[in-house]
């Protein structure tokens, strides 16, 4: 990797653009970067790192730290551009960090996102863009350089303070630094992966052991008493002999369970035999008890039959007499019905007599009927008087209706007169509304003629502003195409000139032996011209010419496009200005025209709303006129109705007087004709009821006498002395059925008892001793409980044996399945312990990462010793030590061997100057090793930061000789230092000058060459 040019703009202390030509500085191989404190020497290195990786080294990239220069103008963006060659490719990297910039419109600032550009130089086509993606560019640069940002800062930007601390640091600190440089994270990942595999395998083994122990617990529960005789082994998850102990104990439990199964089968057979004997005894005792109880019950029923014989005979006799009395039943019913009817008729006549006057209390039916006929004639004479009274009521209703009409017409007249009194004012108001609406319609037309041109001007102004941006973009495109056309023209002319310079070689290539030369005509060609390096042929020139013509065509197209856009912009501006007389010399803005359009739109909308009410105002005026006519007509009709009502009242009054004379005669002392008629109707009804009651009583008495005669004759024929005796013997159907059922039941019971007394088995059982079924039942229950217990014991023993067999098979399967897992765990545990440095096989207790870093440190020490011996005149050399110190692990020790004493000692014992050149040698050695580790990427430019002030003159010369020898590997070394003596010793210098408006750089390429 070789740096060519670094361009810094508004970065760090540099307020303006500063350009550093590393090609000029690297020509001498060794150059000095110096300047006062705070001038920005380190910022130059930061800019290189930022250009490559998008970040500055170390703590200078802390959050909240801005890379933008405080001295830079607000419109000058912060930018770093680096031109370098890496991996055989010429690249240009340009980066801009996220930074504030002034807003294009309005005041204030806005934050612009970070941007990155990557270009590559092609000798044929020049610079061409590759990418603008931060991620793609970062991956491309890291792959080409072969180092991360941390490695680059340690290898290319050699910080001596860090390596001095590295010399004095303990193994842990050295391990952290070397780990970052050599990226040994993969070895640490291997350690962690093995540890994770060990933990996973251990967890799997313990989980399997937990499963086996859980099965052992279930076996103990299933074994029952056998488990108490042989307790479960005391083992824990992870114990080596856990599986064998559990399997052996399970076999012992199964053997004990099988023995208990045989005992349970024997006990069940004995219980079954005893249970069968108890069942037979219980059945015999139950049968004997049933026969004895049957015989005793039969004797009790025979005694009951004899006790009910007298009642049975009495019931038979009573049933026979009741059936004879059934022949007198119809005559009895007829006589009772006649007696009830006569009693009802007597009560009705008594009630009717109580309502009649005393003079009519003993009157007969004929007298009452004659009086009724007389009252009906009097009631018929009141019918004409009732019609006269009804007409009188209708006259009263009609007079009331006339009065209501009169009051309604009076109210209507008053309302119409009040409304008509304000008619002129109402008409003027409606007419004013109509005139205002018509005037607004005229204003609406005028505003509409002004609004359309204003809107067209607003649209034109907006097009004008939009086209202004298009004009700027078209001008930029024209500028770009012009520059491209000029560059392609220059390249074409350059290629043409180079071809003309070498045209002799091109013509010589067309020569043929014996053919005349096209220039001189000679057939001999003793010394034809040869093409020089970089020869340009005709095809290359024609290709450059075509490229130039294409660029010219693009420029012409861009010129035409710009003219077209400018014409459209001017036309839009003219339309936006309009033709109003009040326009000023400046072009109206969009805001001004928008305000004008809004104002005219508001006035037009208001006028339109007012004009829209013209029809409503016209309709309202017409409606008011119609209302005026209607109210006038109603007042006239009300006057006409008042005259008609007066005439009608006079006619009704005359008719009413004649009706009153008729009604006075018909009322007869009552309040009205209707009341007189109602009294007559009530009297007629009372007489009709009384006459009917008298006739009904006489008829019922005749019927009762006839019923008594029939009853006496029926009783005599049935054999009863009197009707009362027949009535006393009579029974209804329910009573007769009850007696018949009682007789039948006694006869059936007597027959059943006689049959059961004839049974010999029951009679023989009664002669035996009393049966004892309860005692037999108790013996049977004891035998049955013993049988159930024996069967349950056998079932439990069988289930226990089956469960123990199943669980034992599962335990054996778990043990077999866990075997490979346990073997894998032991293998992984050995590897994890070895890589972690905790295994007994790892004598030095070195972790895998430390072991790899120790090998790298050994290489670094060897590479550093080659330069340290030269810097120390052969006195010192660095060696790697893997000895353990105290309780710490071994592997990353670093010692120095002093050739003067022949002893090895710690690097912390070196003096300040010795520490500097030792750390410098270590840094250079580390750079060589890291370069080789990165795939052999050449590092043609190195920077060394400070530390030279601690050296004496002789040592400084030796150190500079070592640094100067780096040129043998085609390297250039930049020294960052304040030491004044280095300015005399190193001619090529880059000075950073601190100024009020920002720092600046000055390049001194030789003894006298100084440039800004």
């Amino acid at each position: 990797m070789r740096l060519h040019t670094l361009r810094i703009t508004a970065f760090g202390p540099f307020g303006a653009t500063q350009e550093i030509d590393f090609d000029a500085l690297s020509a001498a191989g060794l150059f000095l970067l110096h300047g006062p404190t705070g001038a920005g020497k380190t910022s130059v290195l930061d800019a290189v790192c930022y250009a490559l990786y998008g970040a500055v080294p170390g703590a200078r990239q802390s959050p909240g730290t801005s890379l933008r220069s405080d001295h830079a103008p607000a419109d000058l963006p912060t930018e770093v551009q680096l031109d370098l060659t890496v991996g055989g490719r010429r690249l240009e990297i340009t980066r801009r960090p996220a930074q504030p910039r002034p807003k294009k419109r309005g005041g204030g600032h806005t934050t612009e996102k970070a941007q990155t550009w990557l270009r590559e130089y092609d000798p044929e086509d020049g610079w061409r863009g590759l990418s603008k993606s931060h991620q793609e560019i970062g991956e491309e640069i890291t792959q080409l350089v072969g180092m991360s940002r941390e490695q680059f800062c340690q290898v290319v930007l050699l910080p001596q303070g860090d390596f001095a601390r590295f010399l004095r640091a303990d193994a842990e600190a050295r391990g952290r630094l070397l780990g970052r440089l050599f990226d040994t994270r993969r070895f640490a990942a291997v350690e962690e992966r093995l540890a994770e595999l060990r933990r996973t395998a251990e967890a799997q083994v313990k989980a399997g052991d937990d499963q086996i122990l859980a099965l052992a617990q279930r076996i103990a529960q299933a074994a029952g008493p056998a488990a108490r005789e042989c307790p479960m082994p005391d083992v824990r998850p992870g114990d080596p002999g856990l599986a064998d102990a559990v399997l052996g104990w399970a076999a012992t439990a199964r053997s004990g369970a099988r023995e208990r199964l045989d005992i349970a089968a024997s006990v069940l057979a004995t219980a079954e035999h005893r249970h069968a004997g108890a069942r037979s005894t219980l059945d015999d005792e139950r049968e004997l008890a049933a026969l004895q109880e049957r015989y005793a019950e039969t004797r009790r029923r025979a005694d009951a039959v004899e006790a009910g014989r007298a009642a049975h005979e009495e019931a038979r006799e009573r049933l026979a007499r009741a059936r004879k009395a059934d022949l007198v039943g119809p005559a009895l019913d007829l006589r009772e019905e006649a007696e009830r009817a006569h009693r009802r008729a007597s009560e009705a006549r008594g009630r009717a007599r109580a309502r009649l006057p005393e003079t009519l209390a003993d009157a007969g039916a004929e007298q009452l009927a004659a009086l009724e006929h007389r009252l009906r004639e009097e009631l018929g004479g009141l019918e004409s008087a009732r019609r006269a009274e009804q007409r009188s009521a209708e006259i009263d209703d009609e007079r009331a209706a006339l009065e209501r009409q009169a009051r309604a017409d009076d109210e209507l007249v008053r309302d119409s007169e009040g409304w008509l009194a304000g008619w002129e004012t109402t008409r003027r108001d409606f007419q004013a509304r109509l005139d205002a609406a018509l005037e607004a319609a005229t204003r609406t037309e005028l505003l509409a003629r002004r609004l359309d041109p204003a809107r067209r001007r607003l649209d034109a102004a907006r097009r004008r502003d939009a086209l202004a941006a298009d004009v700027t973009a078209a001008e930029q495109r024209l500028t770009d195409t012009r520059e491209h056309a000029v560059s392609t023209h220059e390249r074409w002319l350059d290629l043409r000139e180079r071809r003309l310079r070498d045209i002799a070689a091109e013509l010589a290539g067309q020569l043929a032996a014996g053919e005349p030369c096209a220039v001189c005509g000679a057939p001999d060609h003793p010394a034809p011209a040869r093409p020089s390096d970089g020869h340009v042929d005709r095809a290359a020139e024609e290709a450059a010419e075509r490229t130039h013509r294409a660029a010219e065509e693009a420029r012409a197209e861009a010129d035409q496009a710009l003219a077209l856009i400018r014409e459209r912009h001017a036309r839009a501006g003219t339309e936006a200005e309009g033709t109003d007389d009040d326009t000023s010399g400046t072009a109206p803005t969009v805001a001004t025209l928008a305000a004008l359009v809004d104002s005219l739109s508001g006035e037009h909308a208001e006028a339109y709303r007012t004009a829209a009410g013209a029809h409503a105002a016209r309709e309202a005026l017409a409606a008011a006129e119609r209302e005026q006519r209607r109210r006038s007509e109603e007042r006239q009709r009300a006057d006409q109705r008042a005259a008609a009502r007066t005439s009608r009242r006079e006619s009704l009054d005359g008719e009413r007087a004649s009706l009153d004379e008729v009604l006075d005669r018909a009322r007869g002392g009552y309040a009205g004709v209707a009341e007189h008629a109602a009294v007559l109707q009530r009297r007629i009804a009372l007489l009709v009821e009384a006459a009917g009651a008298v006739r009904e009583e006489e008829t019922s008495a005749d019927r009762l006498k006839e019923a008594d005669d029939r009853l006496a004759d029926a009783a005599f024929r049935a054999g009863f002395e009197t009707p009362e005796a027949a009535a006393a013997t009579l029974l209804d159907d329910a009573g007769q059925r009850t007696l018949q059922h009682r007789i039948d039941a006694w006869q059936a019971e007597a027959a059943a008892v006689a049959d059961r007394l004839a049974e010999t088995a029951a009679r023989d059982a009664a002669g035996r001793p009393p049966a004892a079924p309860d005692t037999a039942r108790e013996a049977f229950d004891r035998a049955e409980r013993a049988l159930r217990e024996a069967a349950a014991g056998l079932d439990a023993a069988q289930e226990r044996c089956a469960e123990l067999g199943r669980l034992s098979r599962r335990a054996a399967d778990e043990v077999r399945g866990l075997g490979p897992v346990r073997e894998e765990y032991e293998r992984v545990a050995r590897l994890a312990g070895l890589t972690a440095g905790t295994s007994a096989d790892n004598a030095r207790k070195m972790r895998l990462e430390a072991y790899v870093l120790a090998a790298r440190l050994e290489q670094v020490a060897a590479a550093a010793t080659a330069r340290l011996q030269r810097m120390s005149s052969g006195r010192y050399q660095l060696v790697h030590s893997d000895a353990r110190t105290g309780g710490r692990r071994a592997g990353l020790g670093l010692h120095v061997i002093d050739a003067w004493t022949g002893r090895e000692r710690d690097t912390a014992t070196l003096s300040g100057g010795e520490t500097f050149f030792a750390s410098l040698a270590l840094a250079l050695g580390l750079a060589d090793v890291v370069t080789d580790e990165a795939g052999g990427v050449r590092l043609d430019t190195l920077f060394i930061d400070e530390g030279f002030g601690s050296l004496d003159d002789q040592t400084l010369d030796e150190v500079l000789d070592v640094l100067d020898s780096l040129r043998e590997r085609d390297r250039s070394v930049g020294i960052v230092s304040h030491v004044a003596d280095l300015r005399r010793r190193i001619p090529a210098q880059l000075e950073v000058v601190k100024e009020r408006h920002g720092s600046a750089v000055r390049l001194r390429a030789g003894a006298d060459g100084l440039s800004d």
Side-chain angles (χ1 to χ4, degrees):
M1 182 185 71
R2 177 177 295 277
L3 307 182
H4 298 295
T5 306
L6 175 66
R7 185 174 294 104
I8 307 172
T9 302
F11 182 87
F14 303 103
T17 300
Q18 305 294 324
E19 184 172 342
I20 302 172
D21 187 358
F22 284 109
D23 287 337
L25 291 172
S26 301
L30 190 66
F31 63 90
L32 178 66
L33 177 60
H34 68 94
T37 301
K41 301 184 296 297
T42 306
S43 296
V44 175
L45 308 184
D46 291 349
V48 174
C49 183
Y50 177 74
L52 291 173
Y53 297 99
V56 298
R60 294 189 292 277
Q61 188 62 29
S62 59
T65 304
S66 175
L67 301 179
R68 180 168 176 77
S69 174
D70 296 335
H71 302 285
D75 57 347
L76 183 63
T78 299
E79 182 179 283
V80 176
Q81 187 181 83
L82 179 64
D83 181 7
L84 76 161
T85 297
V86 58
R89 299 168 61 185
R90 182 75 175 269
L91 301 176
E92 179 189 83
I93 309 170
T94 304
R95 291 187 186 269
R96 288 184 180 181
Q99 54 189 310
R101 63 169 177 79
K103 293 183 178 179
K104 296 180 179 180
R105 296 181 179 179
H109 291 75
T110 183
T111 301
E112 191 175 57
K113 294 182 179 179
Q115 302 179 64
T116 306
W117 297 272
L118 177 63
R119 299 199 303 171
E120 183 176 6
Y121 182 77
D122 189 336
E124 296 293 334
D125 301 331
W127 291 102
R128 60 185 179 90
L130 296 181
S131 177
K132 293 182 180 181
S133 170
H134 299 294
Q135 182 178 358
E136 292 180 358
I137 295 173
E139 293 174 354
E140 182 75 11
I141 295 301
T142 302
Q143 182 178 1
L144 290 174
V145 176
M147 290 179 285
S148 65
R149 179 171 64 90
E150 291 77 8
Q151 291 176 321
F152 180 82
C153 294
Q154 292 288 344
V155 174
V156 179
L157 312 178
L158 301 178
Q160 294 306 303
D162 289 351
F163 284 96
R165 287 190 296 273
F166 182 80
L167 284 174
R168 297 185 176 92
D170 55 11
E172 295 294 336
R174 288 196 186 104
R176 287 193 295 271
L177 178 60
L178 293 174
R180 290 195 303 269
L181 292 177
F182 292 104
D183 192 15
T184 57
R185 290 176 295 179
R186 60 186 183 277
F187 300 103
V190 170
E191 296 178 22
E192 180 61 30
R193 179 58 178 165
L194 288 173
E196 181 181 355
L197 291 175
R198 178 185 62 77
R199 290 191 296 269
T200 303
E202 183 180 7
Q204 292 176 350
V205 169
K206 288 186 175 181
D209 288 347
D210 288 337
Q211 186 68 20
I212 293 173
L213 289 177
L215 289 173
Q217 292 289 346
R218 295 179 61 183
I219 290 173
Q221 294 175 0
R228 292 192 293 271
E229 297 174 0
C230 181
M232 193 175 67
D234 185 13
V235 290
R236 296 179 179 275
D239 291 350
L242 182 142
D244 295 336
V246 170
L247 292 179
W249 172 77
T252 302
R254 291 197 305 276
S255 177
R258 284 193 293 270
E259 293 177 359
R260 292 182 178 275
L261 177 61
D262 296 338
I263 295 172
S266 177
V267 171
L268 178 62
T270 302
E272 288 176 345
H273 178 71
R274 291 178 180 175
H275 180 267
R279 164 61 71 181
S280 177
T281 302
L282 176 60
D283 292 342
D284 293 342
E285 290 295 323
R286 283 178 174 174
E287 184 178 0
L288 178 59
L291 291 174
Q292 291 177 347
E293 177 62 28
R294 181 178 179 84
Y295 185 77
E297 182 186 359
T298 301
R299 293 305 308 170
R300 289 193 296 272
R301 290 173 63 185
D303 295 340
V305 168
E306 289 299 327
R309 184 180 296 276
H312 168 67
E313 294 298 333
E314 182 182 356
R316 288 179 60 190
E317 183 179 356
R318 186 180 179 187
L319 178 61
R321 289 175 58 83
R323 287 175 177 171
K324 289 181 180 181
D326 287 343
L327 300 176
V328 188
L332 285 172
D333 293 339
L334 181 60
R335 200 270 175 189
E336 289 179 357
E337 177 61 29
E339 185 179 9
R340 285 195 296 271
H342 181 64
R343 193 165 44 248
R344 288 195 298 271
S346 297
E347 292 174 357
R349 181 179 179 183
R351 289 193 298 272
R353 284 177 177 178
R355 296 169 61 187
L356 291 174
E358 294 180 1
T359 57
L360 298 177
D362 296 327
E366 292 76 7
Q367 185 180 359
L368 294 175
L371 181 58
E372 175 196 352
H373 180 69
R374 207 168 42 249
L375 291 177
R376 287 185 183 279
E377 290 178 352
E378 184 179 356
L379 179 62
L382 294 178
E383 184 62 28
S384 60
R386 187 184 296 114
R387 289 194 296 270
E389 186 177 41
Q390 182 177 0
R391 176 55 185 164
S392 177
E394 291 176 355
I395 290 173
D396 292 339
D397 293 339
E398 188 173 355
R399 287 291 302 271
L402 291 175
E403 292 298 329
R404 289 193 298 273
Q405 291 178 4
R407 288 194 296 272
D409 285 344
D410 292 342
E411 182 66 25
L412 177 63
V413 169
R414 286 194 299 272
D415 182 59
S416 297
E417 289 178 351
W419 191 89
L420 292 172
W423 161 243
E424 289 300 327
T425 303
T426 303
R427 187 184 60 78
R428 285 194 299 271
D429 292 342
F430 282 120
Q431 188 63 45
R433 285 178 53 192
L434 179 59
D435 295 341
L438 295 176
E439 182 182 357
T442 304
R443 283 185 59 239
T444 301
E445 296 178 358
L446 296 175
L447 290 172
R449 287 196 293 270
R450 294 181 58 195
L451 182 59
D452 291 340
R455 286 175 175 168
R456 289 194 294 272
R457 291 179 61 193
L458 176 59
D459 294 340
R462 287 172 176 166
R463 292 198 308 275
R464 177 198 64 197
D465 294 348
L467 290 171
D470 295 343
V471 168
T472 303
E475 290 175 349
Q476 182 62 40
R477 285 196 297 272
L478 179 59
T479 301
D480 295 341
T481 54
R482 282 176 178 172
E483 293 177 354
H484 182 59
V486 170
S487 63
T488 56
H489 185 253
E490 292 177 352
R491 177 170 177 76
W492 173 48
L493 293 178
D494 178 61
L495 292 177
R496 184 176 185 181
E497 183 179 356
R498 287 165 56 189
R499 182 189 174 203
L500 291 175
R501 285 200 303 266
D502 210 12
I503 193 66
E506 182 178 342
L507 294 175
Q510 301 174 358
L511 294 176
E515 296 293 332
C517 175
V519 177
C520 63
D524 298 328
H525 317 296
R530 300 293 180 185
S532 61
D533 294 338
H535 172 68
V536 178
D537 56 6
R538 182 184 185 86
E541 180 188 356
E542 290 177 351
E545 184 180 5
R546 286 194 299 273
T547 302
H548 168 60
R549 289 176 179 173
E552 281 293 329
E553 292 176 357
R555 182 199 59 76
E557 292 177 357
D559 196 3
Q560 293 176 359
L562 176 60
L564 179 60
I565 293 174
R566 281 176 174 171
E567 181 182 356
R568 292 169 58 192
H569 178 262
R571 186 165 57 251
T574 302
E575 292 179 2
E577 292 177 359
T579 58
D580 294 346
D581 298 336
D582 57 348
T583 55
S584 59
T586 60
T589 63
V590 172
T592 301
L593 293 176
L596 176 61
V597 170
D598 292 341
S599 176
L600 291 176
S601 298
E603 294 179 5
H604 178 267
E606 181 65 25
Y608 182 80
R609 284 194 298 272
T610 304
H615 178 70
R618 188 178 290 107
E619 290 295 327
L621 178 59
E625 291 175 347
R626 288 193 299 272
E627 180 69 12
Q628 188 269 339
R629 288 193 297 270
R630 183 184 67 80
R631 288 179 179 271
S632 298
E633 293 173 355
E634 285 182 350
R635 186 173 59 180
Q636 293 176 1
R637 286 194 296 270
D639 294 340
Q640 295 172 359
R641 285 195 299 271
R645 280 195 300 271
T646 302
S647 176
R648 181 58 179 168
R649 284 195 192 100
E650 293 175 354
S651 174
L652 291 175
D653 290 343
E655 185 180 1
R656 177 67 178 271
S658 61
L659 289 176
D660 288 342
E661 294 178 0
V662 175
L663 290 175
D664 289 340
R665 291 192 301 268
R667 287 192 183 101
Y670 292 96
V673 175
E675 182 180 353
H676 189 188
V679 171
L680 292 177
Q681 288 174 352
R682 286 195 299 271
R683 290 177 180 177
I684 292 170
L686 183 59
L687 291 173
V688 170
E689 181 182 359
V694 170
R695 293 188 187 97
E696 182 64 25
E697 182 184 16
E698 292 174 352
T699 303
S700 64
D702 294 339
R703 291 175 182 172
L704 177 60
K705 184 178 181 302
E706 183 180 358
D708 287 337
D709 295 340
R710 290 182 180 181
L711 175 60
D713 184 58
F716 177 75
R717 290 178 182 179
F720 293 98
E721 295 180 356
T722 62
E724 288 78 9
T729 308
L730 188 64
L731 286 177
D732 57 7
D733 293 341
Q736 292 181 17
R737 284 195 298 271
T738 301
L739 288 176
Q740 185 65 49
H741 290 163
R742 193 182 305 166
I743 294 169
D744 294 341
W746 186 90
Q747 292 175 350
E749 178 67 12
V753 167
D755 291 340
R756 291 182 65 172
L757 288 174
E759 294 177 357
T760 59
R763 188 168 58 251
D764 294 341
R768 296 173 59 183
D774 293 339
T775 303
R777 179 66 188 179
E778 292 176 359
F780 174 74
D781 290 342
R782 288 194 298 272
E784 190 172 21
R785 283 195 298 270
L787 177 61
R788 286 198 300 269
E789 292 174 358
L794 180 61
D795 292 340
Q798 290 174 345
E799 292 178 0
R800 186 177 296 114
C801 289
E803 183 68 11
L804 287 175
R806 188 180 64 83
L807 293 175
S808 298
R809 289 191 295 274
R810 283 190 58 187
D813 294 340
E814 290 289 341
V815 171
R816 284 193 297 272
L818 191 60
V821 177
R822 193 181 298 277
E823 294 176 0
E824 177 68 13
Y825 164 66
E826 293 173 356
R827 182 176 64 84
V828 172
R830 287 196 301 272
L831 287 175
L834 185 64
T835 57
T838 58
S839 174
D841 297 335
N842 192 336
R844 297 188 179 277
K845 305 299 181 184
M846 292 179 64
R847 294 170 49 244
L848 177 62
E849 184 182 15
Y851 178 79
V852 175
L853 292 177
R856 294 290 187 265
L857 183 59
E858 188 173 1
Q859 296 174 356
V860 170
T865 298
R867 295 183 175 86
L868 181 59
Q869 287 181 333
R870 291 184 58 187
M871 294 181 185
S872 63
S873 301
R875 178 179 178 181
Y876 296 116
Q877 60 178 339
L878 290 173
V879 294
H880 162 251
S881 173
D882 56 5
R884 299 178 62 185
T885 59
R888 299 179 180 178
R889 297 180 181 179
L892 296 179
L894 192 62
H895 290 172
V896 63
I897 298 179
D898 191 348
W900 291 2
T901 62
R903 301 187 64 179
E904 180 178 330
R905 56 192 174 97
D906 194 271
T907 55
T909 61
L910 296 174
S911 64
E914 292 171 342
T915 298
F916 167 71
F917 60 69
S919 61
L920 177 60
L922 183 65
L924 294 175
L926 182 64
D928 292 341
V929 175
V930 171
T931 301
D932 296 338
E933 176 73 13
V937 177
R938 290 180 54 83
L939 301 177
D940 299 321
T941 307
L942 299 177
F943 294 91
I944 301 175
D945 192 358
E946 288 298 346
F948 292 89
S950 59
L951 305 179
D952 55 31
D953 292 343
Q954 180 180 355
T955 305
L956 182 60
D957 289 339
E958 293 174 349
V959 169
L960 292 178
D961 289 343
V962 172
L963 296 178
D964 192 56
S965 67
L966 295 177
R967 286 186 298 176
E968 298 173 0
R969 299 180 65 176
D970 196 20
R971 286 182 176 176
S972 60
V973 179
I975 298 175
V976 183
S977 178
H978 293 278
V979 179
D981 192 36
L982 291 176
R983 302 176 191 172
R984 294 183 293 101
R985 296 172 180 263
I986 303 175
Q989 299 177 13
L990 179 65
E991 182 181 4
V992 182
V993 181
K994 182 163 56 176
E995 298 177 349
R996 182 177 183 85
H997 300 292
S999 300
V1001 297
R1002 297 178 181 176
L1003 176 65
R1004 188 189 300 274
D1008 298 326
L1010 183 65
S1011 63
D1012 292 337

